[in-house]
Amino acid sequence: MFSSSSVNLDVLKKRAYNLRWATVPNGVIPLTAADPDFPCAPEISEAIIKFTKDRYLCYGPPEGLPQFKESMAEFFQEKRNIPADPSLLFPVDSAAFGIWLTCKTFLRAQDEALIFDPVDFLFRYSIEAVGATAVPFSIPPGDVPVDFEGLEKLINKNTKMICICNPLNPTGKVFTKAELLRFGEIACKHDLIILSDEIWSDIIYAPHVFTSIASLNEEIRDRTITITGFSKSYGLAGLRIGTVMASNPEHYSQLFEASLHSSTINGANVLSQIAATAALTESAYYLDAFKTHLHQMRELIVKELNTVDGFQCIAPEGCYVAFVNITGTHKTSMEVRDLLFNEAKVAVVPGLKQWFGEGAEGYIRLSFATSEEILTDALSRIKHTIKSL
């Protein structure tokens, strides 16, 4: 399923937007947006086809299709050890929307929210979009211990939320149970909402183990909003489907009201919920095979990038992105990005503040959710270009 022959470049060049194949010149290999180059599981497309055969595409219930809510709750219960209630979760039109919705619901103009640095730009964007202030907290790549004392010093009367990204995009860090417990204890002590983005939680490399912060204890769970989606694990980015879950009924009511789902202004479309349900209930074998492939690609990319002069790549514990320290080249992240794009014909994401925060300067990010053939070609081009310097 994940061989070179599985990648249909003709289709990708027509459909894969968001910095990928449809947006780069011919001949450029995009290792940019973290979406897989592989088709989804056949059960997912078959479920969509089966549903549409009757040709009735009506509005669904605002709170989500029952089969979606049940399968999602079962996932949280069995895979994440969270005593999930189907009535306290609902589908949204992407995990990104879920992050924004949580910020909209619980933050006001004078409020502050703690975010990691580096981290995906969606956290800062969502916080600032609702008029609040994002306060960055440094979590460097690698196994540097989390500075919890420094974290607490950032908290003041205006701090209302802490945003957890686990595993952490772009560094690939997977937080330990002990680290998550400390985050949770700090949130409880200072009465903070916990926004836990777990969209990458399926992509974990042994011996590391994923823990949902909401699984730790009732007190932490009661203030946690858990968000996940289906783009990373099942290749459903274009269907724009995610989940927002609360454990506190009051939080759920606030989220649902803010979502405008009870009107026809917002809502997750029915076909996306059908697809997500098929992913959860019928496609476990696909995810298992995908993770096996990703483990092999992780070994390949880390090994090869560490042979490049001026590059240093720590193996990610989760996610399928490599976050590469390029300070040894004596060039900025943007200069290396431009060099690789123009000379190697490989597109990567530069470590700019607009993408990941100030802590990302001196790094580039590469996605390795592609075939071994494409990845090997891209790495060869990178090595040749940097060597020519």
Side-chain angles (χ1 to χ4, degrees):
M1 289 184 291
F2 301 100
S3 66
S4 299
S5 60
S6 300
V7 178
N8 190 329
L9 289 179
D10 290 336
V11 173
L12 286 170
K13 288 176 181 178
K14 295 175 182 178
R15 300 186 186 180
Y17 287 84
N18 192 27
L19 306 178
R20 297 178 64 225
W21 294 95
T23 63
V24 298
N26 280 333
V28 173
I29 299 175
L31 304 182
T32 43
D35 294 327
D37 280 346
F38 303 101
C40 70
E43 289 80 2
I44 294 173
S45 61
E46 289 165 5
I48 295 173
I49 293 169
K50 181 179 179 181
F51 186 86
T52 59
K53 277 186 175 179
D54 293 329
R55 297 183 290 121
Y56 280 97
L57 301 174
C58 311
Y59 285 116
E63 67 277 8
L65 292 174
Q67 61 266 46
F68 172 87
K69 293 165 72 70
E70 291 289 344
S71 61
M72 200 73 244
E74 184 176 344
F75 164 83
F76 281 124
Q77 291 163 6
E78 296 186 358
K79 304 295 185 182
R80 300 293 178 259
N81 199 31
I82 303 172
D85 182 344
S87 69
L88 297 183
L89 64 86
F90 62 100
V92 287
D93 85 337
S94 67
F97 181 85
I99 293 172
W100 175 84
L101 174 62
T102 305
C103 293
K104 177 191 177 188
T105 303
F106 297 107
L107 296 176
R108 300 296 175 262
Q110 73 277 12
D111 294 340
E112 296 181 359
L114 299 169
I115 64 171
F116 297 155
D117 183 21
V119 73
D120 188 277
F121 76 97
L122 286 169
F123 291 94
R124 178 182 294 276
Y125 178 88
S126 298
I127 293 164
E128 293 179 348
V130 300
T133 301
V135 178
F137 169 64
S138 178
I139 297 187
D143 56 3
V144 179
V146 177
D147 180 11
F148 289 103
E149 290 185 6
L151 175 65
E152 275 205 89
K153 290 178 181 178
L154 296 174
I155 298 174
N156 58 59
K157 62 182 179 61
N158 294 323
T159 310
K160 296 296 188 293
M161 179 185 293
I162 180 169
C163 300
I164 308 291
C165 181
N166 184 30
L168 178 51
N169 173 24
T171 67
K173 177 178 175 61
V174 176
F175 292 94
T176 66
K177 186 175 182 178
E179 289 171 329
L180 291 168
L181 187 60
R182 287 293 305 278
F183 282 127
E185 290 171 344
I186 290 171
C188 293
K189 176 181 177 181
H190 296 279
D191 193 24
L192 306 180
I193 291 289
I194 301 170
L195 186 167
S196 184
D197 172 18
E198 302 181 4
I199 194 169
W200 285 103
S201 59
D202 287 321
I203 314 300
I204 308 293
Y205 306 105
H208 305 285
V209 176
F210 177 79
T211 300
S212 278
I213 192 168
S215 72
L216 297 177
N217 61 53
E218 186 175 357
E219 185 180 16
I220 292 172
R221 181 163 54 252
D222 194 52
R223 64 181 59 251
T224 299
I225 311 301
T226 303
I227 297 167
T228 193
F230 300 84
S231 59
K232 310 306 179 188
S233 304
Y234 297 100
L236 305 187
L239 290 182
R240 301 193 61 81
I241 181 68
T243 302
V244 171
M245 181 181 70
S247 292
N248 182 323
E250 182 180 348
H251 288 166
Y252 173 85
S253 296
Q254 291 175 286
L255 285 160
F256 193 72
E257 181 180 358
S259 73
L260 302 180
H261 279 209
S262 56
S263 69
T264 54
I265 295 173
N266 280 333
N269 83 66
V270 171
L271 291 182
S272 295
Q273 294 178 63
I274 293 297
T277 302
L280 291 171
T281 60
E282 302 179 55
S283 306
Y285 77 96
Y286 174 95
L287 180 57
D288 289 342
F290 187 31
K291 289 190 288 187
T292 297
H293 173 76
L294 289 172
H295 189 276
Q296 296 168 350
M297 296 306 97
R298 168 182 175 262
E299 299 302 306
L300 172 64
I301 196 169
V302 171
K303 176 185 175 182
E304 293 300 317
L305 288 175
N306 279 324
T307 67
V308 179
D309 288 341
F311 280 21
Q312 183 182 14
C313 181
I314 299 171
E317 300 168 354
C319 308
Y320 43 73
V321 291
F323 200 51
V324 187
N325 186 322
I326 49 83
T327 54
T329 65
H330 306 293
K331 294 182 176 294
T332 67
S333 299
M334 196 62 189
E335 287 172 338
V336 171
R337 178 269 173 201
D338 289 346
L339 178 70
L340 295 181
F341 188 87
N342 295 322
E343 302 298 329
K345 305 301 181 187
V346 176
V348 302
V349 182
L352 302 180
K353 179 180 178 179
Q354 69 192 67
W355 293 118
F356 307 116
E358 293 181 353
E361 180 51 63
Y363 290 81
I364 58 174
R365 195 195 75 173
L366 300 83
S367 171
F368 53 87
T370 189
S371 70
E372 182 174 357
E373 180 181 15
I374 291 172
L375 187 60
T376 299
D377 185 9
L379 292 169
S380 177
R381 297 183 191 190
I382 291 171
K383 292 170 67 174
H384 176 77
T385 299
I386 298 300
K387 185 177 180 179
S388 68
L389 293 177

